[in-house]
Amino acid sequence: MTKLRPTRRDFLRVSSTAAALTAIPAGFSGPRCLAQEIVSKNDRIPIGLIGAGGMGMGNMNSAKSWVDVVAIADVDSGRLARANQQLSQGKADVYEDYRKVLERDDIAVVHIATPDHWHTKPVIEAMLAGKDIYCEKPLTLTIDEGKLIRRVQRETGRIVQVGTQQRSTFNLFTKAMAIVQEGRLGKIHRVQAAIGGAPTSNAIPVAEVPGDLNWERWLGPAPLVDFRRSEDGKQTNGHYEFRWWYEYSGGKLTDWGAHHVDICQWALKLNGQTEGPVSIEGEATHPVEFIDGMPVANDRYNTATRFQFKVSYPGGTEMIIRNDTDNGVLIEGELGRIFVSRGKLSGAPVEALAEKPLAEDAISKVYKGLPMTDNERRAHWANFLHCHQAQQEPISDVHSHMEMLNICHLAGISGRLGRKLNWDAKSEQIVGDDVANAMLARPYRSGYEIEMG
Ligand SMILES: NC(=O)c1ccc[n+]([C@@H]2O[C@H](COP(=O)([O-])OP(=O)(O)OC[C@H]3O[C@@H](n4cnc5c(N)ncnc54)[C@H](O)[C@@H]3O)[C@@H](O)[C@H]2O)c1
């Protein structure tokens, strides 16, 4: 696990069909492309799945035209067995320890769909082992983890796609970006990400750890605490519900922020906003008290249930992140405004496309000229596998991801401390606030530090 600069592998051939894929014409009502030809049928890619929960299973189903799941790692043996049956007819090798997947020379691509606190460590170790990676969002739990991931990505040159699949939604988000890039909104002065709030819970009792689950390994780098589950089984600090615990996640601010703040930041970039934000301020309500940024109670959900933040950029542009209005992204410029969500793209500049369509290559330009196909999740996988074969930067690269995830993490820190933060985007430090700067990182539990080789 020590190859800092792995050599490019000899299977780095771009299939001629993939290279020949045509760009989707402007004004299309739905993407149409040769999904099945992104990777030829004779060229199936062996993949290792790390984390076989809801999203890992869903993603492997999205990618099944192109990949064979040959190895699966999960700390829940019941989930492992189910995934092996459903994804590989029982033929995959299964492991409790994901490092066994990374050791295999026959696997060049891994998918990481573990809970958020278990992303950075396997991503870095996979890059160092020479793998290309599709990792679920949010890529990190802290701002400092993002610095490390970007450094290792630059040093290894590995291809890393983040699971922000909205970037591959050609008739909605990608099209909205094309409208922005063509200048149809003029200079943008305000973007808004409405992402919903987190649920609350009553105190969730300590419970017996299910027999299939290695709870100590599930916790991994996070503090060693008891397993909790409500009597009806619905609320827990484990599978799926980890999202509502600061210890394992950033709550909605990173769960959905990773999607919609990403679109906001992408729009600003395409509109020429090259400098990062300078401050973030707002209010957040948490279900438990936080003192100096740390939750006081450890027996119930603790991430922000309600919030509104204003992120300020040089030149006066603002980004609003809030929980309390229709889920989606609002982009406002001097010439008009558009709203885009997973269900619709609307606004006068959208209606104006009937009279004056986008340029033929407008969406392709936003999509870095990469092949386009199908619907969001499948298209995002096609993008990753194409970029793996071509050794090109994918559409959701770690660098743009971390630039925007910094904002989500800053919102979390600002909300937990209850004060405005001034941000130096170049040095990636909070200005003049030692307590806040201490929250750019979190300690890793002994035995679960990142293995740098
Ligand atoms: N892109 C999207 O739209 C989208 C949607 C849902 C979830 N997600 C992301 O996917 C990730 C997983 O979410 P989920 O809802 O599938 O959670 P989940 O709890 O259902 O699944 C996570 C799985 O990872 C396993 N796991 C934990 N630690 C592990 C380790 N060290 N090694 C191997 N396996 C380990 C767990 O046992 C579990 O089976 C999260 O980061 C979430 O934010 C993304």
Side-chain angles (χ1 to χ4, degrees), residues 368-383:
K368 301 185 192 168
L370 293 162
M372 292 181 269
T373 181
D374 261 22
N375 62 50
E376 58 171 18
R377 193 109 34 98
R378 211 168 123 77
H380 210 53
W381 270 92
N383 175 265

Side-chain angles (χ1 to χ4, degrees), residues 54-55 74 79 116 118-119 136-137 163 165 239-240 243:
M55 202 57 195
D74 201 297
R79 286 181 163 211
D116 305 358
W118 253 122
H119 285 176
E136 266 311 332
K137 44 54 59 177
Q165 72 274 7
H239 293 328
Y240 186 85
R243 288 162 169 73

Side-chain angles (χ1 to χ4, degrees), residues 49-57 59 73-76 79 82 95-98 112-119 122 134 136-138 163-165 213 217-220 238-243 254-256 259 342 376-377 448:
L49 168 63
I50 298 173
M55 202 57 195
M57 297 295 287
N59 275 325
D74 201 297
V75 296
D76 182 324
R79 286 181 163 211
R82 182 194 64 179
Y95 308 100
E96 185 179 79
D97 186 343
Y98 68 89
I112 298 174
T114 43
D116 305 358
H117 69 290
W118 253 122
H119 285 176
Y134 183 125
E136 266 311 332
K137 44 54 59 177
T164 45
Q165 72 274 7
L213 180 63
R217 280 197 71 78
W218 186 97
L219 288 168
H239 293 328
Y240 186 85
E241 306 292 307
F242 65 83
R243 288 162 169 73
T254 54
D255 192 44
W256 265 87
H259 288 303
R342 292 193 179 177
E376 58 171 18
R377 193 109 34 98
Y448 287 96

Side-chain angles (χ1 to χ4, degrees), residues 193-206:
I195 57 179
T200 56
S201 71
N202 293 323
I204 303 173
V206 172

